[in-house]
Amino acid sequence: MSDYNFQEIEAKWQDLWEKQKPFACDVLSDKKKMFLLVEFPYPSAQGLHVGHPRSYTALDVIARKRRMENYEVMYGMGWDAFGLSAEVYAVRTGIHPRITTRENINNFRRQMKSIGFSFDWDREIDTTDPHYYKWTQWMFLQMVKQGLAYKGPTQINYCPNCKTTLANEEVINGGCERCHGPVEKRIKEQWMLKITQYADRLAQELDTVNYISPVVDQQRNWIGRSEGAEITFTLKENNASITVFTTRPDTIFGASYMVLAPEHSLVDTLRPKISNWDAVEAYRLAAKQKTDIDRSDVTKEKTGVPLEGISVINPATNAPIPVWISDYVMMGYGSGAIMAVPGHDDRDWAFAKKFHLPILDVISGGNVQESAYTGDGVLVNSGFLNGLNVTDAKARMIEWLQKHDMGSAKINYKLRDWIFSRQRYWGEPIPMVLCQACGWVPLPDDQLPLVLPELEDYRPTDDGSAPLAKLTDWVKTTCPCCQGPAERETDTMPQWAGSCWYFMRYLDPKNDQAFCDPKILEKWLPVDWYNGGMEHTTLHLLYSRFWYKALADAGIVPGIEPYGRRTSHGMILGTDNEKMSKSRGNVVNPDSVVEAYGADVFRTYEMFMGDFDKTAPWSDGTINGVARFLRKVWALLEKIDSSAPPSIEQEKALHRAIHDVGERIERMKFNTAVSALMECINAFAQADSLPPSLLGDFCKLLSPFAPHMAEEIWQQLGNQGLVCQQSWPTYDSALLVDDSVTIGVQVNGKLRATITISKGASNLEAEAAALAEEGVKRALEGKTPRKVIVVPDRIVNIVVG
RNA sequence: GCCCUAGUGGCGGAAUGGUAGACGCGGCAGACUCAAAAUCUGCUUUCGGCAACGAAGUGGGGGUUCGAGUCCCUCCUGGGGCACCA
């Protein structure tokens, strides 16, 4: 018996898998399908992070088990290779992103293969391959045709450091997601996707899928549905009107002033009537120059300027109220105007206090001069609403507004349309042409893919225009519609475009007639199980659901949701319990782990290190323990004796493991599934001999975690075929139960003894055994039990006193 | 401020309302060895005690229950998300 040479043995099986392709998916198979998905990575120059394999291994365990359960499994891998990071890296190194991307992909593929994932590598995809992005462009055009894409001036988030536009989802606390620098607001012509048109469905249809609840909560939160009313206020000075959105129409009698966003266009219209225009203009200019970080600082004092000479009529009271502008009202939400009810809104209260505006009490329950009262109560000082509670008053008020044609019920969303343009080079060209005569014209399908042209200098420009604009020959084209002179769009798509639909391409990766054969889509969608990071909840996952619904509405894909089930893994931290980062110097490189311990140890450790859901710190000690475990498994080969009958203990240990490992994998309790494997081999090792069949069955349980060693032992036991192609073992329930059971005996809920009784013993027997215990007698101090609770095979609790 | 999440030995972590600490790491003692590594055996929540045993114990405080790490209320702390969204 030699030591386990993992380098040699892992290479041997990886070569064999490569040749025999046991993980190839037959999409036309009659077997029950199982579509498993992990987020395909962005192939960075740093290579694979130890965080990636946590997700990949988990679903690899599921994939391998499902194959052994006779499912046809789809488990693919590919590269989300467009995007800013690749371009930034290329600019820094001076090497074209196409070249660095190819190198990075090769490195990622090598790393993944060294870990032994059971991906069907013949279905590898790459978002930067023209054969792939042809369909990304095609799908974008489908959205154009459905009226879901439009180009228009919009206030965008611009990162002056990265020199590009950011989607709202890419702005974190007013800063850039990538460089964390401040983000400016600019007005720019951008391609937009109308994700807001799907806001309601994106929220509602979460009920039709099985996502872990934090994902559901976070998406709903992000979509931010709120029910309220739109109310029209009329200007006192002329008949112009201003519409506000409020969730509290019930408080309208307390609306003592109105606030407009500084950017509100009405301010310009009203200029001739505004007597303090200089002050107004100065305030607007100052607001414009503020970054979102300044503007969204909740703790800062409220500022604002009144529009002197302007007032509006409160439709409920008919009284004129002043109009202010303040940057605490945002142009991008509702109508950019609010009715301020300082008595019952904290922000309005703070504003009113500062500027000495009237604070009216219209809902009983608080002292509005001290602080805003936002709770429930009975309406007061509110005319026909008096005496109603908040809910009823809301309904009554909306009714009243509708009757008088002054407003109606309205639902608003925080979700904004998706800013889809990037003034960058390394992305899918947007296949649109601007014709002087015809306007924006989509490229016809036969001109797809619109290949990303070569460019000498692909660096972003300081004036915010796209690098492709420099290619004047490429930009100049003819209109597909009228053949007149036209210009190509020079913006490219964001990183998120290619990942919106990539899972479908695994199903039919080489098809050039369609992104996927519709029959295959029909059979394989939705994805059965998608595991990925929480950080993608309001980005990729939301975009992708929207993209799918848009395609579904165009009749292109089946169903309404792309992913049936969504789970998430916790982050892997450094040994210091901090997020791994170069600057902290706590990064663990998967290559060095594989080199030192082998893929099997790496995989098993990643599953054993902690609860899959939760963050877990890297630990060199624990990984050693896993290595020791696998060495013990290997050493069992020495005990193999085909003439020895299995001991009952060994059989019980095996069947216990079959039960526990299977059940724990299904519950994604991978750490305790590994514990169950450990317990089993600890039991196996007790005896001097072990029948080959028991170790063979154990190999089946081990194979999802440590597939190389499992194959090797399986072969050395003299078995035919691959262990990964065997059937998942079943357990004999009779072997799961013991004849006797040790249970606790409590006196008044405190443990005083344990008794071993036969399984299924009657309550009387258990009680008698319990009362006979010395420890119990001592605790009873001669008192007579008042009550004895026996839970069969579980516990005896004696109540005294 | 709002919405999620978590808080258990020296450490990672186990526990369908029923013997808290499985499994692993680390530590201690021993075996093997010229020695070391590797391996194996035993012990290892804390306090008191030679021991038998006793007491305390799952972030704090209340509650429900024969019985609470687990359920309810409340507070504290860490992690994540959203945030002047009317």
Side-chain angles (χ1 to χ4, degrees), chain A residues 344-362:
Chain A
H344 306 284
D345 180 281
D346 291 322
R347 294 148 303 177
D348 297 345
W349 190 89
F351 193 82
K353 269 285 170 196
K354 175 156 180 197
F355 294 107
H356 309 291
L357 292 156
I359 300 174
L360 309 175
D361 186 14
V362 293

Side-chain angles (χ1 to χ4, degrees), chain A residues 644-710:
Chain A
S647 75
I648 188 71
E649 286 75 23
Q650 288 173 332
E651 280 199 312
K652 279 187 168 178
L654 175 70
H655 283 258
R656 170 59 54 194
I658 294 172
H659 173 269
D660 287 353
V661 172
E663 183 244 10
R664 290 170 187 181
I665 288 174
E666 295 308 317
R667 284 171 39 224
M668 302 192 91
K669 296 291 177 192
F670 301 109
N671 53 340
T672 53
V674 174
S675 299
L677 291 170
M678 288 171 168
E679 283 172 344
C680 180
I681 67 119
N682 287 344
F684 279 2
Q686 293 298 309
D688 294 331
S689 64
L690 182 65
S693 65
L694 292 195
L695 187 56
D697 277 346
F698 178 83
C699 279
K700 296 175 190 168
L701 302 179
L702 180 69
S703 67
F705 297 90
H708 311 82
M709 180 181 279

Side-chain angles (χ1 to χ4, degrees), chain A residues 36-39 55 58-59 62 210-215 528-534 537 541 563-570 612-613 666-668 670:
Chain A
L36 302 173
L37 188 66
V38 287
E39 285 162 354
S55 175
L59 260 66
I62 306 285
N210 174 17
Y211 289 7
I212 52 168
S213 58
V215 171
D528 294 282
W529 191 337
Y530 190 14
N531 188 77
M534 280 306 291
T537 302
L541 194 68
Y563 315 117
R565 179 178 182 187
R566 171 77 177 188
T567 56
S568 209
H569 54 276
F612 184 67
D613 293 351
E666 295 308 317
R667 284 171 39 224
M668 302 192 91
F670 301 109

Side-chain angles (χ1 to χ4, degrees), chain A residues 84 117 275 398 491 544 650 751 800:
Chain A
L84 211 46
F117 297 123
S275 56
I398 289 171
D491 286 354
S544 173
Q650 288 173 332
L751 186 74
V800 288

Side-chain angles (χ1 to χ4, degrees), chain A residues 46 576 578-587:
Chain A
Q46 291 83 41
D576 53 359
E578 299 283 341
K579 195 169 168 176
M580 282 193 191
S581 74
K582 253 192 213 161
S583 55
R584 285 200 189 86
N586 59 355
V587 176

Side-chain angles (χ1 to χ4, degrees), chain A residues 28-154:
Chain A
L28 302 176
S29 156
D30 291 332
K31 289 187 197 170
K32 215 171 156 203
K33 67 103 179 176
M34 177 57 54
F35 194 167
L36 302 173
L37 188 66
V38 287
E39 285 162 354
F40 67 157
Y42 160 70
S44 71
Q46 291 83 41
L48 210 60
H49 181 273
V50 287
H52 291 116
R54 198 176 193 196
S55 175
Y56 306 160
T57 308
L59 260 66
D60 198 52
V61 167
I62 306 285
R64 287 172 177 274
K65 178 164 182 274
R66 286 288 180 277
R67 288 193 197 93
M68 294 172 81
E69 290 167 332
N70 203 34
Y71 283 85
E72 190 67 37
V73 171
M74 174 66 70
Y75 192 39
M77 184 41 71
W79 321 108
D80 187 16
F82 269 133
L84 211 46
S85 316
E87 195 176 305
V88 169
Y89 181 75
V91 167
R92 193 158 46 100
T93 59
I95 308 168
H96 194 283
R98 190 168 26 71
I99 295 165
T100 53
T101 297
R102 193 192 304 133
E103 285 171 359
N104 294 348
I105 286 174
N106 288 339
N107 187 41
F108 264 67
R109 190 191 302 104
R110 174 193 63 77
Q111 291 186 295
M112 287 193 195
K113 288 195 173 179
S114 80
I115 302 170
F117 297 123
S118 66
F119 298 126
D120 181 352
W121 284 106
D122 291 338
R123 297 175 180 275
E124 181 181 335
I125 57 174
D126 171 5
T127 55
T128 65
D129 179 352
H131 296 285
Y132 180 92
Y133 68 70
K134 169 183 176 176
W135 299 108
T136 311
Q137 292 172 331
W138 181 83
M139 287 175 188
F140 173 78
L141 294 182
Q142 302 310 305
M143 298 215 213
V144 171
K145 283 172 195 162
Q146 287 179 82
L148 289 172
Y150 63 98
K151 190 169 193 182
T154 180

Side-chain angles (χ1 to χ4, degrees), chain A residues 732-746:
Chain A
D732 177 352
S733 349
L735 288 168
L736 297 184
V737 291
D738 288 315
D739 296 339
S740 64
V741 55
T742 302
I743 65 171
V745 180
Q746 297 175 335

